[in-house]
Every structure is written in C-alpha cells, then in structure tokens.
Amino acid sequence: VQLVESGGGLVQAGDSLRLSCEGSGGTFPNYALGWFRQTPGKAREFVGGVSRSGNSAIHADSVKGRFTISRENDMSMVYLQMSSLKPEDTGIYYCAAQTTMSLIVILTQATEYTYWGQGTQVTVSS
C-alpha cells in the first residue's frame, strides 16, 4: 500500500489542524494504521493507532485528550485531528500501515509497521 499524507502547516499554539493520509494500492481495511511524529535527532514517536475496524484507538499520553485518530475504510483514509496544539507538537508527522489478522489489534511501535508515508511537516509557533 502507498500512503500520502496532507494537511500539515504552520499554526499558532492553541490552534487546530487535521492531517489526512490516503492509501492506495492495497486493501485498506486489511491494515492497522498509525500516526507517528519525528523531530531532528529523536526517534520516531507514536502518536495514535487505530484498529482495522476503526472501533478501537489508542493515543500517546502526550496527546491524549487533544488528538484523535480515525479512519474511513470506504475512502481509504486515516485522519489525525489535532487541537490545542503546543510548540512541542512540532515535527514531521507520518502515517503508517501494517496488515494484521486481528480486527481489533492496535500497533504502537514503529518497528511493527511496514508501510510509511513521506510525512507532512507540522510547525506550532508559540
């Protein structure tokens, strides 16, 4: 599956932003999906993950209550709705996909994912 992110940009602290990721070339409902972010010199950080069915999701403690991951299987899309953005949310955001047998499993480690998008930059100014 190929993944293409969009929706990044420069915003101010407290603003909201929605990232989108479109999948193609694969059977989208077969993939567990996740969002990660990375800043220079740091490892890729888990932000949120959603199961194949879309009924289960997990968010990192650092974004819990502010970010929401969701998916639309019929549109082959996964989203990350971000609100109350902080300067420390700045980074390149990547969506990721991995086939799983289970409909409910959520993958939280970068090493568990095979397919990655190119990333979209999010910059939050103070």
Side-chain angles (χ1 to χ4, degrees), residues 52-69:
R52 283 177 53 189
S53 67
N55 292 332
S56 301
I58 292 175
H59 301 85
D61 287 344
S62 59
V63 306
K64 202 169 291 183
R66 299 188 298 121
F67 291 12
T68 302
I69 186 172

Side-chain angles (χ1 to χ4, degrees), residues 2-115:
Q2 291 79 48
L3 303 170
V4 178
E5 302 95 337
S6 61
L10 171 63
V11 296
Q12 293 188 331
D15 284 353
S16 298
L17 203 60
R18 188 176 83 156
L19 304 183
S20 301
C21 175
E22 182 174 13
S24 62
T27 304
F28 202 71
N30 287 351
Y31 297 88
L33 303 168
W35 283 97
F36 291 76
R37 66 187 180 190
Q38 191 167 24
T39 53
K42 292 189 175 182
R44 203 161 286 190
E45 174 191 16
F46 172 76
V47 175
V50 63
S51 63
R52 283 177 53 189
S53 67
N55 292 332
S56 301
I58 292 175
H59 301 85
D61 287 344
S62 59
V63 306
K64 202 169 291 183
R66 299 188 298 121
F67 291 12
T68 302
I69 186 172
S70 62
R71 66 189 293 168
E72 285 188 271
N73 281 339
D74 56 345
M75 298 292 290
S76 298
M77 298 290 294
V78 58
Y79 306 100
L80 186 68
Q81 179 67 49
M82 306 185 293
S83 61
S84 302
L85 281 160
K86 304 175 182 180
E88 51 264 43
D89 294 320
T90 294
I92 301 175
Y93 283 70
Y94 299 90
C95 66
Q98 178 60 46
T99 54
T100 65
M101 292 296 293
S102 169
L103 288 172
I104 62 173
V105 72
I106 300 170
L107 306 178
T108 63
Q109 304 299 312
T111 53
E112 295 178 297
Y113 288 91
T114 299
Y115 305 98

